[in-house]
Amino acid sequence: MPVDPSPYQLIEDYGLIGDMHSVALVSTEGSIDWACLPRFDSPSVFARILDHEVGGHFQIRLREERMATKQFYWPETNVLVTRFLAEDGVGELRDFMPVQGPQVEPGEREIVRTVRAIRGRVPFEMECIPAFDYARADHEVAMSDTGVCFHGSEPGLNLATDIPLQAALRGGVKAQFTLKAGDSTTFVLRTMESGGECGALLDEEHAEAAFRHTVDYWRDWLSQSTYSGRWREQVHRSALALKLLTYQPTGAIVAAPTCSLPEEISGARNWDYRYTWIRDAAFTIYAFLRIGLTEEAHRFIEFLTSLCSGSSSTGRPLQVMYGIDGSTDLTEETLDHLDGYRGSAPVRIGNGAYDQLQLDIYGELIDSIYVFDKYGVPITHDLWESVSGYVDWVCDNWQQKDEGIWEVRGDAQHFVFSKLMCWVAVDRGLRLARKRSLPADEERWLACRNAIYEAIMQEGWDEERGSFTQHFDTEALDASNLMMPLVLFLSPADERLHRMLEATMQTPEEGGLSSKGLVYRYNLNETQDGLDGEEGTFNICSFWLVEALTRAGHTNPEHLEDARLIFEQMLGYANHVGLYAEQTGLHGEALGNFPQAFTHLALISTAFNLNRTLG
């Protein structure tokens, strides 16, 4: 990829730490450039990734011009290690957020950064410049013998350290210090009540204890996984990433922990993904259950159940997405004072798609409940009442136009994928009713399911293109239709499936969606989505192609070989610590919010099914 002279780190140059309340992105240069505290959807305290000048950051690095860096996870954990390699010595930075440890007070979030000299005498420099409320709020600085407190926002921040600090620009602090081989020092950044007193230092013994506790937590959690297939390391890294994206108090899962990372550099396709999408449910439940992580599936079902008993601000039974606490108002606004990642404005918080009509969410929700009933715990009477009501609503409304899975901001259409998931909603409702002998209007549901099936086959199939189309009034393709064999709508032996795969795997210039195995969600030359600009290939769509090829491989061995090759290629697009953004750009770079839950869910599901099919 060409060298970019801008001061921004590449999106793929970050690792992730967290504690199931919030996360921090740590660059290969040792800088925390994104963190929202005390929870995922709080205003940012560090946001240099969205504005290099005023966004705020917390950096620890070697005081050397010529050096190399390496970054990796402590094995089987979410503890991140950044290693600095210089001519006169080797330094190391160990970053983590303690998980439910005895040193963490209730409601307090901590970031622990331990700096070590491995070889030689190592000169370090530290700079911590918070920028509260997306760099909109001022703060005061109070120095002490044990660090510094930043007051003026709620919550405030305390940086505890025994290293002497100096004032820095924009209300920050900085320090320079040297460690000899074997020495270490620890910086602890913790939230605090605004105006409260600064916390205590973390000496070497207690810092090591916090590190060991965190390592033990992650290894104990991962030991519950039952996956032992070909791609164990990649599957477990994806599982660890997904766990970081869960919100412990409610069991919700954020789509990504960032906002407004662009789908095109200098483009306007910049969205806030720090919320829970209903459509993530089916894939979340399936992925966790496939590898034995039943507790996460159970917590997410509890979260979904709480939504079922609530009300939607849209006037419909459900809305597209919710806050991590179940909140329904996600009003979108722009932050014009921030430049955006590499000048990719606007920076948006909130998400205006929350009140769109997207019919597919009912299929994904009911499918997740069906899978959980099958592999987890049988559903309750109250939950069945909600499911039954949703199926009835789908029967009444499936013929409406909607905005579809991709949340287009253009005209509503009869999207084929939306009809497909309406079919799934009714089908899974019927299966649940029959399996559990639950009360249902089966005659009406069966007639509706059949009508949806016929509509998709007659109006969603284009014989000339040899594929299902994006919606009823177009010849354009859509990668979401690759889900058809995955939800058991199409048989692996159906000739339509094989023809759709052939059409999809053509290049965009030929009318297809594939660029050397990477898949676009749709062809922007044929689709009007109400937005300007271009975008990269969608990683989840590439994994969907692998899964569809895997299913088709039951009757065509060549498809199975293609599936394995494309999957192995996709593994090569992970970043240096195994994380994926939403999209992959023309030069293999990461685009969109990072890391993306949907991508990691798809990786787990694809690895499980491909491994099982290969035998």
Side-chain angles (χ1 to χ4, degrees):
M1 173 176 183
V3 175
D4 192 318
S6 81
Y8 289 85
Q9 293 284 107
L10 300 175
I11 293 173
E12 62 264 32
D13 284 348
Y14 287 90
L16 188 73
I17 60 172
D19 63 356
M20 283 80 72
H21 288 261
S22 189
V23 301
L25 290 184
V26 185
S27 77
T28 53
E29 297 293 325
S31 183
I32 295 177
D33 290 344
W34 178 257
C36 298
L37 297 172
R39 53 186 239 179
F40 293 105
D41 56 357
S42 298
S44 65
V45 296
F46 302 120
R48 184 156 71 168
I49 199 169
L50 294 180
D51 193 305
H52 192 270
E53 293 300 316
V54 304
H57 64 278
F58 179 13
Q59 183 162 21
I60 301 174
R61 68 191 297 273
L62 256 64
R63 205 163 65 248
E64 294 278 357
E65 290 298 324
R66 298 180 61 184
M67 65 174 178
T69 62
K70 293 184 177 181
Q71 194 175 64
F72 55 92
Y73 280 110
W74 200 267
E76 300 182 316
T77 77
N78 280 316
V79 175
L80 192 66
V81 179
T82 306
R83 188 166 288 162
F84 306 99
L85 310 172
E87 186 174 328
D88 296 328
V90 176
E92 190 174 273
L93 174 62
R94 229 165 41 186
D95 284 314
F96 63 93
M97 295 179 72
V99 181
Q100 301 173 344
Q103 74 282 350
V104 181
E105 295 294 329
E108 183 181 86
R109 309 268 64 83
E110 281 189 352
I111 298 174
V112 178
R113 316 197 74 187
T114 297
V115 190
R116 303 161 60 89
I118 306 301
R119 296 180 61 185
R121 289 180 58 83
V122 186
F124 288 94
E125 59 185 9
M126 183 279 298
E127 189 172 61
C128 181
I129 305 178
F132 293 97
D133 190 22
Y134 306 108
R136 293 182 295 189
D138 295 328
H139 64 272
E140 297 179 354
V141 181
M143 297 275 204
S144 72
D145 293 338
T146 58
V148 61
C149 287
F150 303 100
H151 299 293
S153 184
E154 185 62 50
L157 288 177
N158 165 221
L159 176 60
T161 176
D162 58 2
I163 300 294
L165 301 175
Q166 296 178 317
L169 297 175
R170 302 195 309 276
V173 294
K174 61 183 179 180
Q176 293 185 349
F177 56 99
T178 299
L179 300 177
K180 66 179 185 298
D183 287 349
S184 67
T185 187
T186 296
F187 296 84
V188 181
L189 186 75
R190 56 173 67 95
T191 57
M192 57 179 291
E193 293 183 6
S194 187
E197 295 185 2
C198 296
L201 296 171
L202 204 60
D203 60 32
E204 186 173 356
E205 179 182 352
H206 288 89
E208 185 66 17
F211 166 73
R212 294 295 176 187
H213 173 85
T214 304
V215 167
D216 289 345
Y217 173 86
W218 289 115
R219 287 181 172 171
D220 289 346
W221 178 79
L222 193 59
S223 69
Q224 301 172 58
S225 170
T226 57
Y227 183 82
S228 58
R230 291 170 172 80
W231 303 284
R232 184 172 180 270
E233 183 177 348
Q234 293 91 338
V235 166
H236 282 175
R237 177 49 54 196
S238 287
L240 285 162
L242 286 176
K243 182 64 172 174
L244 282 181
L245 302 186
T246 62
Y247 184 54
Q248 192 274 333
T250 65
I253 298 178
V254 295
T258 56
C259 69
S260 286
L261 292 183
E263 299 174 12
E264 177 192 19
I265 302 301
S266 300
R269 296 169 181 260
N270 317 318
W271 316 110
D272 190 349
Y273 277 11
R274 297 171 298 159
Y275 308 110
T276 295
W277 268 251
I278 287 294
R279 72 169 51 90
D280 290 13
F283 306 103
T284 303
I285 297 302
Y286 183 82
F288 277 141
L289 288 175
R290 286 295 81 190
I291 60 175
L293 300 174
T294 56
E295 176 60 26
E296 283 63 38
H298 184 72
R299 291 298 314 284
F300 197 48
I301 282 291
E302 287 181 340
F303 177 71
L304 293 174
T305 302
S306 70
L307 299 183
C308 294
S309 60
S311 59
S312 168
S313 61
T314 63
R316 295 183 286 270
L318 289 171
Q319 62 185 49
V320 174
M321 71 190 85
Y322 293 83
I324 55 177
D325 57 1
S327 55
T328 57
D329 185 2
L330 308 178
T331 302
E332 185 173 293
E333 61 177 303
T334 61
L335 303 179
D336 295 329
H337 65 288
L338 296 178
D339 287 342
Y341 175 80
R342 301 193 174 208
S344 302
V347 172
R348 293 184 176 93
I349 57 174
N351 198 306
Y354 79 95
D355 60 355
Q356 287 187 349
L357 173 61
Q358 297 178 23
L359 293 170
D360 63 287
I361 65 175
Y362 297 93
E364 288 137 358
L365 173 62
I366 297 173
D367 190 40
S368 71
I369 294 171
Y370 168 77
V371 171
F372 185 72
D373 180 90
K374 184 175 181 179
Y375 296 106
V377 178
I379 64 172
T380 65
H381 167 75
D382 290 343
L383 185 54
W384 172 248
E385 288 286 300
S386 295
V387 170
S388 180
Y390 295 153
V391 176
D392 285 334
W393 188 88
V394 169
C395 289
D396 291 334
N397 292 276
W398 71 270
Q399 297 182 71
Q400 288 194 57
K401 295 181 178 181
D402 73 336
E403 280 82 11
I405 181 176
W406 306 126
E407 300 169 359
V408 298
R409 302 202 175 191
D411 295 332
Q413 302 287 351
H414 288 294
F415 287 101
V416 172
F417 181 79
S418 296
K419 309 304 182 190
L420 171 69
M421 297 312 292
C422 285
W423 178 90
V424 170
V426 182
D427 177 74
R428 301 315 191 256
L430 283 165
R431 292 176 186 235
L432 272 169
R434 291 168 178 172
K435 177 185 175 184
R436 297 283 311 283
S437 300
L438 295 167
D441 190 350
E442 290 196 28
E443 185 175 347
R444 179 179 184 240
W445 291 6
L446 185 60
C448 176
R449 186 186 68 178
N450 293 345
I452 299 172
Y453 181 90
E454 292 298 335
I456 293 173
M457 287 299 185
Q458 293 175 14
E459 300 183 67
W461 173 260
D462 187 295
E463 180 63 27
E464 185 175 344
R465 293 295 295 268
S467 180
F468 291 96
T469 58
Q470 184 177 60
H471 57 79
F472 287 172
D473 298 317
T474 185
E475 297 178 353
L477 307 186
D478 194 302
S480 61
N481 291 331
L482 294 169
M483 287 289 294
M484 286 183 171
L486 280 56
V487 297
L488 308 181
F489 180 84
L490 280 183
S491 162
D494 197 314
E495 184 62 23
R496 287 180 176 83
L497 171 59
H498 296 270
R499 293 180 66 189
M500 179 173 67
L501 288 171
E502 291 173 4
T504 301
M505 293 175 70
Q506 291 181 327
T507 66
E509 292 74 21
E510 297 170 324
L513 302 176
S514 180
S515 174
K516 298 180 180 179
L518 301 177
V519 180
Y520 292 93
R521 55 181 178 168
Y522 44 75
N523 192 327
L524 283 170
N525 295 323
E526 298 181 321
T527 296
Q528 299 299 318
D529 60 7
L531 297 167
D532 295 328
E534 302 292 328
E535 61 186 21
T537 56
F538 262 60
N539 292 327
I540 189 172
C541 297
S542 301
F543 285 123
W544 282 346
L545 174 61
V546 175
E547 283 219 63
L549 287 166
T550 300
R551 300 295 174 104
H554 289 288
T555 56
N556 186 338
E558 290 184 5
H559 283 327
L560 189 58
E561 182 62 24
D562 288 340
R564 182 166 188 172
L565 289 173
I566 295 172
F567 183 69
E568 296 279 7
Q569 172 185 282
M570 276 302 299
L571 295 181
Y573 284 104
N575 80 343
H576 60 288
V577 289
L579 301 178
Y580 290 87
E582 180 181 41
Q583 301 179 28
T584 298
L586 182 64
H587 303 288
E589 75 276 20
L591 292 173
N593 284 305
F594 173 87
Q596 179 81 0
F598 232 13
T599 304
H600 288 280
L601 292 166
L603 185 152
I604 292 173
S605 175
T606 304
F608 180 89
N609 288 312
L610 180 57
N611 183 74
R612 181 175 59 181
T613 303
L614 290 171

